[in-house]
Amino acid sequence: MLGDLIYMNPALDTIDRAILTEVQAAFPVEHRPFAALGQKVGISEQETLERMARLKRDKVIRQLSAIFDTRALGYQSMLAAMRVDPGRVYEAAEVINQHPGVSHNYKRNNTFNIWFTVAVPPADSLEQTVNILHTLARGEETIMLPTLRLYKIGVKLDLTGKAPSMESEEEIYNEQRRFAAKPPLTPRDIELIRITQEDLPALEMPFTVWAEQAEMTEEELFGWARQMQQLGYLRRFAAILYHRNAGFLANAMVVWQVSEHLVDVVGEQMAKFRQVSHCYRRPVYPTWPYALYTMVHAPTHSACMEMVTRIEEKVGTLPHKNLFSTKEYKKTRVKYFTKELDEWWNRVGKQMELVK
């Protein structure tokens, strides 16, 4: 059954798919990383570089960089669902997209037709930010859905068909490390985060470029990265893909109605499915009683539905909604510690005056 969930994009050969599967899980942090990656998939360093360049050019790979933990860095983030007039969904989405902390924004098949995630630095109010976006986008209703518990995070699409359908306990996100006490970030840490959150150059020795920018040796950069990962600030170095161009044409946000005394047990079980990239517990509302959220990626709508069936076979039949994305308005990584947010606040102040 698992084979049915793998989309054999004719533009991607076996080696391409092996590369894409590897770089989503982890990218080698070493002197010649593309040589190490090539060795894993059985090709030369030069061919690896050429294939990576093509996969970026063809918009299969979106970005290759350090992936940081938003909350560990002190940022606050939230999923929000907004209901707007169907005739002006695009207009509202464009307003929301202007916030630099909005990383994902989708139209979904529900009366809450815009779903977005937004992150803000420690000094900002997340609730205030969502309320401002609601006002500027002229939303009819917006519900705030912060994470109450994270069971799993990380899109790692298997393009080879060789990965097991269930993940091991070690592969589920380590929530304890996320909240463990850690030393505060220094100005030097912030400078290095700004450098390493950018796209890694496609060169034989790409980390030397970052090291030069940081005025440090490559080994010092590697040591800093290891320390950040041990502390839980850094999740991994990896690539994110354009899912549709990689062959995963459908994604469903499945929201589940689960009783409070079972929600954690069920969430932990759902997180073990490899096709579930994200699994969260979120607050419920009188008109929105769904406590569990799972993201399922698959080649087709029917394959997503098959995964939902398989999940129910494991955890039992539960009331749920399958919220498919019908339009992607924005998908990017949040850029941390940049000046873009100050510029947004300057613009918003003027816009809110006009709204009043």
Side-chain angles (χ1 to χ4, degrees), residues 122-325:
D124 284 6
S125 164
L126 190 55
E127 185 173 338
Q128 180 191 27
T129 298
V130 174
N131 284 332
I132 289 173
L133 292 174
H134 170 86
T135 299
L136 293 178
R138 291 161 53 197
E140 296 175 354
E141 182 182 2
T142 298
I143 54 174
M144 299 186 189
L145 300 162
T147 300
L148 300 180
R149 182 172 172 190
L150 171 60
Y151 305 101
K152 183 182 182 182
I153 186 172
V155 181
K156 299 175 187 176
L157 305 176
D158 174 32
L159 284 83
T160 66
K162 297 178 181 178
S165 61
M166 303 294 284
E167 294 190 306
S168 67
E169 293 290 345
E170 289 74 22
E171 292 174 292
I172 304 302
Y173 192 67
N174 190 332
E175 183 79 346
Q176 289 183 338
R177 186 179 70 171
R178 188 184 203 210
F179 294 109
K182 50 179 68 70
L185 294 170
T186 66
R188 182 61 164 160
D189 291 330
I190 291 172
E191 179 186 1
L192 293 171
I193 289 168
R194 287 174 177 154
I195 291 171
T196 58
Q197 68 185 349
E198 299 296 335
D199 201 19
L200 186 71
L203 304 170
E204 291 177 355
M205 297 176 287
F207 290 108
T208 61
V209 176
W210 281 355
E212 288 173 6
Q213 291 175 9
E215 297 182 344
M216 66 196 310
T217 67
E218 195 177 40
E219 283 306 316
E220 288 172 335
L221 178 66
F222 294 159
W224 173 82
R226 286 192 295 271
Q227 182 184 37
M228 289 294 103
Q229 194 160 18
Q230 289 167 1
L231 292 172
Y233 286 119
L234 172 66
R235 285 164 51 199
R236 67 188 190 280
F237 281 86
I240 55 172
L241 309 184
Y242 291 93
H243 298 154
R244 291 181 177 274
N245 293 346
F248 288 74
L249 304 180
N251 73 75
M253 175 188 288
V254 188
V255 296
W256 306 83
Q257 188 173 344
V258 189
S259 60
E260 187 172 355
H261 71 285
L262 289 176
V263 63
D264 286 335
V265 172
V266 174
E268 289 168 0
Q269 291 177 325
M270 290 180 175
K272 293 180 182 178
F273 282 87
R274 187 168 295 275
Q275 289 79 13
V276 172
S277 61
H278 299 70
C279 187
Y280 301 90
R281 180 179 179 179
R282 302 190 187 279
V284 298
Y285 294 87
T287 58
W288 192 259
Y290 305 100
L292 275 181
Y293 291 66
T294 54
M295 283 300 307
V296 176
H297 298 267
T300 62
H301 181 286
S302 60
C304 280
M305 297 305 297
E306 180 184 343
M307 272 308 307
V308 173
T309 299
R310 290 173 61 188
I311 290 170
E312 287 197 292
E313 289 171 355
K314 176 73 174 179
V315 304
T317 303
L318 297 166
H320 65 275
K321 287 183 179 291
N322 304 312
L323 308 180
F324 284 88
S325 64

